[in-house]
Amino acid sequence: MAAAIKKVGVIGAGQMGNGIAHVAALGGFDVILNDVSADRLKSAMATINGNLSRQIAKKLITEDARKQALARITATEKLDGLSDCDLVIETAVEKEETKRKIFNELCAVLKPEAIVASNTSSISITRLAASTDRPERFIGIHFMNPVPVMELVELIRGIATDDATFETSKAFVAKLGKQIAVSEDFPAFIVNRILLPMINEAIYTLYEGVGNVEAIDMAMKLGAHHPMGPLELADFIGLDTCLSIMQVLHEGLADSKYRPCPLLVKYVEAGWLGRKTQRGFYDYRGDKPVPTR
């Protein structure tokens, strides 16, 4: 039978982590937000407050709901602070060795019946689950960015994930007001299996000189009615994350069509990762974004 989730832990206070903490607290769950950096935790709480305030301005929530949500979130720099959580969602960098290390340390302090989830956007849930002491209580819960705005959550079962964990996770996501797409455990799941090759192809289009940054983004916004151009979207996601997902697809499916564009590799090597570093396919250091190519 599905268990009741009351307290939710979130590992990582970055863009995805603070977004998940935001929607979980707004959904009525007690939330423990964990990060090794006190500054990131402080910044995350400020971001959550700001995003809740924007929801008030749009008349999506009330001031009372904002106050209650903030009161439900507790920040901690220690994994020990997650020990009594019913569900813990990891949102660390998209590197398998980093996630495995976190799960190893987390399982040592977590109660045996707790569910562990990863917000990974591409890595095998089966493989991550095998690095824990509870593969049957491990699942992929992949939120979309920005979490408070995007309606979809992908649920991914590993080969060992049991029915109770799956049903409990479904009930948790439903309580957040999100829609669920169930994906099989294949590299990059559904959304990124389709989205990232499109972004990678847009980068190849730039690399080959078919069009410049502005032309490519304008073509897809006005020609395909996308709300954001693929290069602008890549900057928003983070070029390092885009590269990691393409590498997972290329290695996992062994098909040359998933080969990361050399220009994407070059930008990541330069440390031009998009919005988070102020430079990517656009330069964000001025009053308005300026294409870098």
Side-chain angles (χ1 to χ4, degrees):
M1 292 180 63
I5 301 293
K6 294 179 181 177
K7 184 176 285 190
V8 178
V10 180
I11 298 176
Q15 196 170 35
M16 295 305 296
N18 72 57
I20 294 169
H22 172 142
V23 297
L26 206 53
F29 297 95
D30 291 327
V31 178
I32 310 296
L33 181 59
N34 164 263
D35 200 288
V36 293
S37 166
D39 287 342
R40 275 200 297 268
L41 286 169
K42 185 177 178 180
S43 175
M45 293 305 296
T47 298
I48 292 168
N49 187 35
N51 288 338
L52 287 166
S53 297
R54 271 192 282 277
Q55 288 180 306
I56 293 171
K58 294 178 181 177
K59 302 190 184 311
L60 298 173
I61 65 170
T62 63
E63 171 62 18
D64 190 49
R66 181 189 72 85
K67 289 179 179 176
Q68 288 184 31
L70 287 174
R72 291 189 189 105
I73 303 173
T74 302
T76 178
E77 295 171 54
K78 304 291 185 184
L79 282 177
D80 290 2
L82 306 173
S83 60
D84 64 342
C85 288
D86 304 303
L87 165 68
V88 177
I89 305 169
E90 165 273 318
T91 73
V93 65
E94 195 71 353
K95 293 188 182 298
E96 187 166 342
E97 61 272 19
T98 301
K99 294 180 185 294
R100 283 174 172 270
K101 184 175 183 294
I102 289 169
F103 293 137
N104 184 56
E105 294 173 4
L106 172 67
C107 289
V109 301
L110 203 56
K111 60 186 182 183
E113 65 272 23
I115 294 171
V116 177
S118 177
N119 184 61
T120 178
S121 51
S122 61
I123 300 169
S124 166
I125 298 302
T126 296
R127 208 161 57 235
L128 289 175
S131 69
T132 74
D133 63 355
R134 62 195 74 206
E136 71 286 351
R137 287 188 297 281
F138 191 98
I139 193 166
I141 305 181
H142 179 218
F143 290 82
M144 305 295 129
N145 186 30
V147 180
V149 176
M150 301 298 278
E151 303 94 340
L152 185 76
V153 173
E154 287 181 317
L155 277 187
I156 309 101
R157 295 178 73 154
I159 195 170
T161 307
D162 64 24
D163 290 341
T165 297
F166 181 63
E167 294 301 326
T168 299
S169 301
K170 278 175 64 178
F172 165 71
V173 173
K175 195 170 179 184
L176 303 182
K178 304 293 188 185
Q179 297 295 313
I180 296 167
V182 178
S183 171
E184 292 297 320
D185 189 17
F186 279 83
F189 319 129
I190 297 172
V191 172
N192 285 326
R193 170 77 176 265
I194 298 166
L195 177 64
L196 264 296
M198 185 202 76
I199 290 174
N200 194 54
E201 192 62 27
I203 300 169
Y204 266 114
T205 305
L206 177 66
Y207 178 62
E208 293 167 4
V210 180
N212 62 23
V213 169
E214 285 183 308
I216 292 165
D217 277 352
M218 184 190 299
M220 294 308 292
K221 283 193 283 188
L222 302 184
H225 228 258
H226 290 190
M228 190 182 288
L231 301 176
E232 183 186 2
L233 179 57
D235 277 356
F236 181 75
I237 293 169
L239 301 190
D240 53 338
T241 300
C242 292
L243 178 58
S244 292
I245 294 169
M246 288 309 302
Q247 287 169 332
V248 167
L249 279 166
H250 192 221
E251 292 165 10
L253 298 173
D255 193 321
S256 62
K257 72 180 180 180
Y258 299 115
R259 183 172 72 95
C261 178
L263 185 60
L264 173 59
V265 176
K266 186 178 289 187
Y267 268 65
V268 172
E269 287 175 344
W272 291 21
L273 308 181
R275 285 184 175 271
K276 60 188 171 185
T277 60
Q278 296 296 296
R279 280 192 291 187
F281 293 111
Y282 292 86
D283 189 325
Y284 300 92
R285 294 174 297 174
D287 293 334
K288 65 176 187 177
V290 178
T292 53
R293 290 180 80 89

